[in-house]
Amino acid sequence: GAGVSQSPSNKVTEKGKDVELRCDPISGHTALYWYRQSLGQGLEFLIYFQGNSAPDKSGLPSDRFSAERTGGSVSTLTIQRTQQEDSAVYLCASSPIWKAGVYEQYFGPGTRLTVT
Amino acid sequence: RKEVEQDPGPFNVPEGATVAFNCTYSNSASQSFFWYRQDCRKEPKLLMSVYSSGNEDGRFTAQLNRASQYISLLIRDSKLSDSATYLCVVSLSSGYSTLTFGKGTMLLVSP
């Protein structure tokens, strides 16, 4: 079946511009996560959506970052007034209903963001 | 102290070698443990979960020592296709939870 998809695959933007990154999770997956991976760094958690619950925004690095998930499916990560340090690969992941002993997050291919 | 620390890489090994990766985590409340694999410029993919009793999947063996807060991954009979970055990952719960990733250890298997 179809995996997690993200768009665009690459985005180059000028410092100060706003960008929107999109994630389409696997159909039926109730949990959706955003991470970013900077060069030479590990994956950094940004935000997590689970069903209709309030999202866990504890990983967002500043108030320039926001995300929403519409209809429990597609999610958009928005970065306002981009800075050069925002350059990274932004990865989206989704996971199905957890079953005892089985837990996996399925990652999309990521959006490579470059802020010039 | 970083939440999840891994051996710095890269590890360069010949085909057929056995290689071991080590990982330590700082939060003793961590409940779930995983190894993910990430190929160059690709997304991470789950390699295996790690259980307290230790578990094996073909050439791969994972161990967990909760007292030492230590996780390991052993790869036997390395293949060229094993070349990738191996990510140690922990979670604070056994259900839905965010994952905390180590920076990863790169493995290069040569002919």
Side-chain angles (χ1 to χ4, degrees):
Chain A
V4 177
S5 61
Q6 292 186 244
S7 61
S9 55
N10 282 283
K11 176 71 177 179
V12 180
T13 190
E14 292 180 355
K15 177 181 172 181
K17 301 279 190 184
D18 297 352
V19 294
E20 283 190 354
L21 313 180
R22 177 187 168 104
C23 172
D24 280 277
I26 294 173
S27 178
H29 282 195
T30 57
L32 185 148
Y33 310 78
W34 282 98
Y35 297 87
R36 73 176 176 181
Q37 189 171 29
S38 304
L39 190 63
Q41 301 298 315
L43 271 79
E44 174 190 9
F45 163 72
L46 296 178
I47 187 169
Y48 156 51
F49 297 90
Q50 167 49 28
N52 295 320
S53 302
D56 176 355
K57 304 179 182 181
S58 59
L60 294 179
S62 78
D63 59 8
R64 297 185 296 104
F65 288 72
S66 63
E68 58 180 27
R69 188 180 186 191
T70 53
S73 181
V74 171
S75 177
T76 302
L77 176 70
T78 302
I79 309 173
Q80 296 178 310
R81 304 181 302 281
T82 52
Q83 303 294 313
Q84 288 185 330
E85 61 262 28
D86 299 335
S87 297
V89 177
Y90 288 81
L91 289 156
C92 175
S94 69
S95 65
I97 294 173
W98 180 77
K99 297 179 181 178
V102 178
Y103 179 70
E104 178 173 1
Q105 292 186 13
Y106 296 80
F107 283 83
T111 294
R112 184 173 298 275
L113 175 66
T114 304
V115 182
T116 60
Chain B
R1 182 183 173 186
K2 292 187 175 62
E3 292 187 64
V4 179
E5 292 202 58
Q6 296 187 238
D7 291 334
F11 283 18
N12 288 282
V13 302
E15 269 188 296
T18 295
V19 59
F21 300 127
N22 301 311
C23 169
T24 56
Y25 59 96
S26 61
N27 192 331
S28 60
S30 298
Q31 295 290 326
S32 301
F33 309 90
F34 312 91
W35 286 99
Y36 274 67
R37 169 189 170 134
Q38 187 172 26
D39 292 295
C40 188
R41 299 179 77 89
K42 298 287 188 181
E43 69 274 20
K45 292 185 179 178
L46 179 68
L47 178 65
M48 58 196 303
S49 300
V50 187
Y51 304 117
S52 297
S53 54
N55 49 300
E56 185 174 311
D57 183 2
R59 298 181 293 108
F60 299 83
T61 301
Q63 298 279 350
L64 168 65
N65 184 320
R66 287 185 183 268
S68 303
Q69 296 180 205
Y70 169 86
I71 307 162
S72 66
L73 175 68
L74 185 75
I75 305 176
R76 292 181 300 278
D77 189 23
S78 300
K79 311 292 185 190
L80 295 176
S81 58
D82 293 334
S83 297
T85 295
Y86 291 82
L87 305 171
C88 178
V89 185
V90 305
S91 172
L92 282 176
S93 84
S94 55
Y96 289 113
S97 180
T98 58
L99 302 178
T100 302
F101 287 78
K103 286 189 178 182
T105 303
M106 184 182 291
L107 173 65
L108 300 171
V109 182
S110 54

